[in-house]
Amino acid sequence: MGRRFGQHFLTRKSFLDRIAAAACPEIQPEANAPVIEIGAGRGALTEALLERTSKVTAIEVDPVLVHYLQQKFREALESGRLELVQGDVLKTDLAGLLPEAPVIAGNLPYYITSPILERVFALGTRWSRAVFLVQSEVAARLAASPGGRDYGYLSVLTQIHARAQILFEVPRAAFRPAPKVDSAVVLLEPRDAAQEWNLPDKRAFLRFASACFQHKRKTLRNNLAPSYGKDRMDALAEGRLRAEQLSVPQLAALYRQLDAA
């Protein structure tokens, strides 16, 4: 079966079962939250999820694969345990699909991982957790701590919306066809940045964070002077630092300080 949308299908059952268990940790399916699966593909993860939860809503853009899934999961579809949504996840109304506090899971296409994450984060805290298979390099950036080379704007974007944890690595040999990079499974749990760090306007803070990391090797003074003035940045001890040296709470504190005046 073709791969017209650049998919690399995870086929090794041991990893599929581990992803499903991370998404649905309870033994009894009825005890687990319903799952929205992004990119059902050939249904390998769908099958593993159906063993662990009472409802899966699977999104798949490829009509050929949707037809295949309709045949493969006829019984689950007829019973209502599976719902198939044919469409592009970046154009799908995720909020309209949400049951109460769902889990979101999937093998995310490498080339649209960031836009998918932004779509999920736009849901606020209406989801209970997300378990995503992504490129290892991306997983490292999502969960990165300040001071390392992986820490950047994507880390901040992720960490004001969720707590991120890398669960395990997945080698390229576990896929068909094998990608050119290794992958990792990351767990995201939503957080309320407005409450934790006094950031009621996350969009404004993210614009600030984007400016902080605009030139990653430059100091905050140089990156923020066009917005806040050189004299003001010179007066701040943080002005001599690079953005990658500040944690998300420290960036939030700096934003509040500069935004207050």
Side-chain angles (χ1 to χ4, degrees):
M1 188 168 298
R3 48 184 294 271
R4 299 183 300 150
F5 294 89
Q7 302 103 316
H8 296 275
F9 300 108
L10 179 62
T11 58
R12 193 169 297 178
K13 190 175 187 305
S14 59
F15 288 114
L16 291 163
D17 288 342
R18 289 177 70 183
I19 294 172
C24 305
E26 302 298 330
I27 296 175
Q28 298 298 325
E30 296 77 13
N32 289 308
V35 178
I36 294 176
E37 183 188 5
I38 294 176
R42 296 172 180 165
L45 180 57
T46 313
E47 187 171 17
L49 290 169
L50 284 168
E51 293 176 358
R52 301 189 68 97
T53 187
S54 56
K55 179 66 183 287
V56 175
T57 300
I59 304 169
E60 175 53 53
V61 66
D62 189 338
V64 174
L65 289 175
V66 169
H67 178 73
Y68 170 78
L69 294 168
Q70 288 170 337
Q71 305 306 311
K72 179 175 182 177
F73 294 109
R74 185 184 302 274
E75 183 177 332
L77 287 164
E78 290 176 352
S79 69
R81 295 188 60 235
L82 175 64
E83 178 183 357
L84 286 178
V85 177
Q86 182 180 329
D88 182 345
V89 66
L90 298 182
K91 299 177 181 179
T92 300
D93 178 16
L94 291 180
L97 298 178
L98 289 182
E100 185 176 351
V103 173
I104 305 175
N107 175 7
L108 303 190
Y110 295 155
Y111 64 99
I112 55 170
T113 295
S114 291
I116 291 175
L117 290 173
E118 289 176 355
R119 294 276 292 180
V120 172
F121 295 151
L123 299 172
T125 58
R126 296 173 59 194
W127 45 290
S128 60
R129 78 176 69 86
V131 179
F132 291 138
L133 179 60
V134 298
Q135 186 175 340
S136 287
E137 179 181 334
V138 173
R141 292 166 64 194
L142 300 184
S145 299
R149 65 181 181 86
D150 294 317
Y151 184 73
Y153 175 75
L154 183 59
S155 313
V156 175
L157 169 67
T158 299
Q159 292 171 32
I160 69 161
H161 290 99
R163 296 173 182 83
Q165 176 186 356
I166 297 174
L167 297 181
F168 52 88
E169 300 286 329
V170 180
R172 61 194 75 181
F175 294 84
R176 292 292 181 273
K180 296 180 180 179
V181 296
D182 290 325
S183 302
V185 173
V186 61
L187 169 67
L188 304 176
E189 296 177 300
R191 74 192 318 161
D192 187 345
Q195 183 177 30
E196 288 191 46
W197 299 317
N198 192 21
L199 291 174
D201 190 342
K202 287 186 286 190
R203 289 186 180 182
F205 170 70
L206 286 172
R207 288 193 294 270
F208 168 81
S210 179
C212 289
F213 285 96
Q214 184 174 8
H215 302 287
K216 196 172 180 183
R217 303 310 300 171
K218 289 187 176 182
T219 63
L220 286 167
R221 174 193 180 277
N222 290 333
N223 280 332
L224 296 178
S227 299
Y228 297 100
K230 291 183 178 179
D231 291 342
R232 194 170 176 199
M233 294 308 303
D234 282 340
L236 294 174
E238 294 92 341
R240 298 189 295 272
L241 302 176
R242 295 190 299 270
E244 66 187 34
Q245 295 175 272
L246 271 64
S247 67
V248 178
Q250 289 172 324
L251 285 170
L254 179 61
Y255 165 73
R256 292 194 304 271
Q257 182 177 355
L258 290 169
D259 192 56

